[in-house]
Amino acid sequence: MKKSLLVLFFAIFSLNVFSQEDAWVYFTDKPDATYYFSNPLQMLTQRALDRRTNQGIALDNLDVPISQNYIDQVTAATGITVMAKSKWLNALHIRGSQTNIQALTAFGFVSQVKFARHSLNTRISNPNENIVNETSKIGQTKDKFEIAVNYNYGGSSNQVQMLNTHLLHQQNFTGQGKIVAILDAGFPGVDIRAPFQRLRDNNLILGGYNFPDRNNNIYTRNQHGTMVLSTMGGYVDNQLVGTAPDAQYYLFITEDVNSENPVEESYWVEALEMADSLGVDVVNSSLGYGTYDDSGYTYSYAMRNGQVGFASRGASIAMQKGIVCVVSAGNEATSAEPHIGIPADATNILTVGSVNSTEGYSSFSSIGPSADGRVKPDVAARGSNATLSNSSGTIITASGTSFSSPILAGSVASFWSALPNLTAAQVIDFVKQSADQYATPDIYKGYGVPDFQLALTLTTENFTNNADVKIYPNPFTNVLTIYLSNNNVEDFSIYNQLGQKIFSTKISSQNNSIDLSNLNSGVYFYEVANQVKGKLIKK
């Protein structure tokens, strides 16, 4: 009996000590910071530096790479494999036995070790419809006579028009000049299929990287990323038009669909940092983490507060670097744990839930709030029966917040292309303000469905810049009021987006309210006294 107990004890001891664990080792400092601050192009591209300058963002220690000396010493340590790294968090993702990982705390440059298996961290002290899952298992006004862009959206009409992104397109704001990075599971077919021909012909795919395989082959692995990209950059006349057809794209594979392991979070943060260094403006990721293959790594709801998940902590830094990070909420609403996952719980990002064609909540869309009580999801877009392309180039419909997120992210890129000098923080704020539940957010749709034309209006004064003429409200519903500082009788005209005059009247300081209830909803341009010009939005 004693011999049996001894064997059992040894088996348990061996399992705990010699089994492979995932962990992050954090470092105390960055001894090479002075060199990199003197040579910023060694850590960031010129476009990334320009983005920082335009948004008034100074370089800081987070931008500095991890000390290679520290990496080399950890790599050389007994039984340790380095899987990924993060300069923002000054950490390496490592794999090894519990004993070998704990031994790293003997290095003076190691501040702490944190295991992916949550239970181990309590024992260690270091004083130094066809629902597609998230692939994880859980400005300037254009001249009034400029010819408008009128796409034949076909089946994608509803998902674009719901956000009033088509009104941005009609003003030729289609994402040009903005770079979007997609962090996903693979992009097969993007290099050969017809829905992506327009992107290829216009050299809008800038490259990317495959983190799980550590190579440049991005047109491989799972088609989830292909479908996601199609909602932003896809183009098939009268079938599918993406929300940012003229943006440029980097494609990053961070997800390994064959298993669920926390290393994917580290790949994700690595990709986000690479996107930052390349000068990317908008990031979309339709990935989420909550439940892992090894239940010891799984995040409880209490952990989903933006401060625990490695990917969440990385995502929260993106806005500080001038990036708008857009993340899907998840499809877990009907599961035992219905709340948003990792990194959807991050601060300073846009977490996107799903609605159907009539803006009703999609029953699968993961709910909020975050564990610390913040509004989540932040906003919502169509994810039920969204129109998209698969890797064969076939236009299909599929459901999931995997698609509501990129539909919205592309809209962000088109909106930002209208006002490229906005900061990332301003973009996020205006998007939220434009949403239809901004005053009364809930746990299902957050602040609601954004109106990107309204967001564009919110970025400028509700009145014309001319002190002698004020027009309000703008946007308006039926009645428009015009204030004139003088007592003259002036001509007032309204033009459509083709520059055609569709309405005119006389106004004065005494006769200044106009009933425009017969005017269709949309974007128009006005002119007062043949000199004061501006934009009007009819709700």
Side-chain angles (χ1 to χ4, degrees), residues 13 129 141 147 177 203 220 234 267 272 318 450 456 459 488 516 528:
F13 178 80
E129 294 128 279
T141 301
I147 301 300
N203 299 312
T220 186
Y267 294 152
L272 186 58
L456 189 60
T459 63
N488 298 338
L516 296 171
V528 180

Side-chain angles (χ1 to χ4, degrees), residues 48 57 122 349 386 392:
I57 299 170
T122 61
I349 70 169
S392 298

Side-chain angles (χ1 to χ4, degrees), residues 209-432:
Y209 191 72
N210 180 334
F211 286 87
D213 296 331
R214 294 293 175 184
N215 62 38
N216 294 316
N217 185 5
I218 55 176
Y219 302 118
T220 186
R221 286 187 168 255
N222 189 276
Q223 70 166 347
H224 188 268
T226 302
M227 296 190 291
V228 164
L229 171 63
S230 73
T231 67
M232 287 184 276
Y235 184 88
V236 179
D237 188 51
N238 205 33
Q239 293 187 60
L240 169 68
V241 178
T243 48
D246 291 315
Q248 295 173 298
Y249 294 91
Y250 280 107
L251 310 179
F252 296 114
I253 301 176
T254 66
E255 180 73 13
D256 183 350
V257 298
N258 297 315
S259 64
E260 278 299 280
N261 182 278
V263 72
E264 293 166 288
E265 288 188 60
S266 297
Y267 294 152
W268 194 93
V269 174
E270 234 182 336
L272 186 58
E273 292 175 4
M274 184 179 287
D276 167 50
S277 70
L278 292 167
V280 161
D281 302 294
V282 179
V283 168
N284 179 81
S285 186
S286 296
L287 303 172
Y289 305 96
T291 302
Y292 283 112
D293 293 343
D294 186 327
S295 61
Y297 301 150
T298 294
Y299 292 102
S300 67
Y301 175 50
M303 296 174 175
R304 303 178 188 191
N305 60 8
Q307 302 299 317
V308 176
F310 193 79
S312 301
R313 292 162 58 209
S316 295
I317 295 172
M319 190 183 78
Q320 300 174 30
K321 302 303 178 185
I323 298 169
V324 175
C325 188
V326 185
V327 173
S328 56
N331 303 325
E332 308 301 319
T334 60
S335 71
E337 178 45 79
H339 295 95
I340 49 110
I342 307 294
D345 64 332
T347 59
N348 304 323
I349 70 169
L350 289 172
T351 300
V352 188
S354 173
V355 296
N356 60 26
S357 61
T358 60
E359 301 188 19
Y361 165 71
S362 299
S363 60
F364 57 78
S365 185
S366 294
I367 64 171
S370 61
D372 58 332
R374 285 173 291 113
V375 172
K376 289 288 175 181
D378 295 283
V379 289
R382 183 170 178 180
S384 291
N385 294 316
T387 297
L388 50 93
S389 171
N390 63 17
S391 60
S392 298
T394 304
I395 306 305
I396 62 171
T397 61
S399 298
T401 59
S402 285
F403 310 120
S404 58
S405 180
I407 287 169
L408 188 124
S411 299
V412 168
S414 290
F415 166 69
W416 210 351
S417 71
L419 293 158
N421 292 325
L422 291 178
T423 66
Q426 288 173 323
V427 170
I428 291 171
D429 195 36
F430 284 127
V431 171
K432 290 180 181 178

Side-chain angles (χ1 to χ4, degrees), residues 111-185:
S111 65
Q112 68 170 329
V113 167
K114 185 173 182 180
F115 285 91
R117 186 178 305 280
H118 307 297
S119 62
L120 296 181
N121 294 316
T122 61
R123 302 175 194 155
I124 182 168
S125 174
N126 178 24
N128 294 332
E129 294 128 279
N130 168 31
I131 299 177
V132 177
N133 281 331
E134 301 310 277
T135 299
S136 94
K137 290 81 175 173
I138 53 162
Q140 301 95 357
T141 301
K142 296 285 185 178
D143 184 88
K144 70 182 182 182
F145 297 110
E146 183 171 342
I147 301 300
V149 176
N150 287 298
Y151 293 118
N152 295 315
Y153 294 97
S156 62
S157 294
N158 178 267
Q159 64 202 43
V160 179
Q161 293 173 359
M162 180 182 293
L163 302 172
N164 268 345
T165 305
H166 67 299
L167 298 181
L168 299 185
H169 293 174
Q170 288 173 17
Q171 298 165 78
N172 296 302
F173 302 135
T174 53
Q176 63 272 39
K178 291 298 175 183
I179 301 179
V180 180
I182 302 175
L183 281 52
D184 218 286

Side-chain angles (χ1 to χ4, degrees), residues 435-457:
D436 60 358
Q437 295 182 170
Y438 183 65
T440 56
D442 62 28
I443 64 173
Y444 304 103
K445 297 191 291 181
Y447 294 109
V449 177
D451 179 337
F452 280 90
Q453 180 56 57
L454 176 57
L456 189 60
T457 304

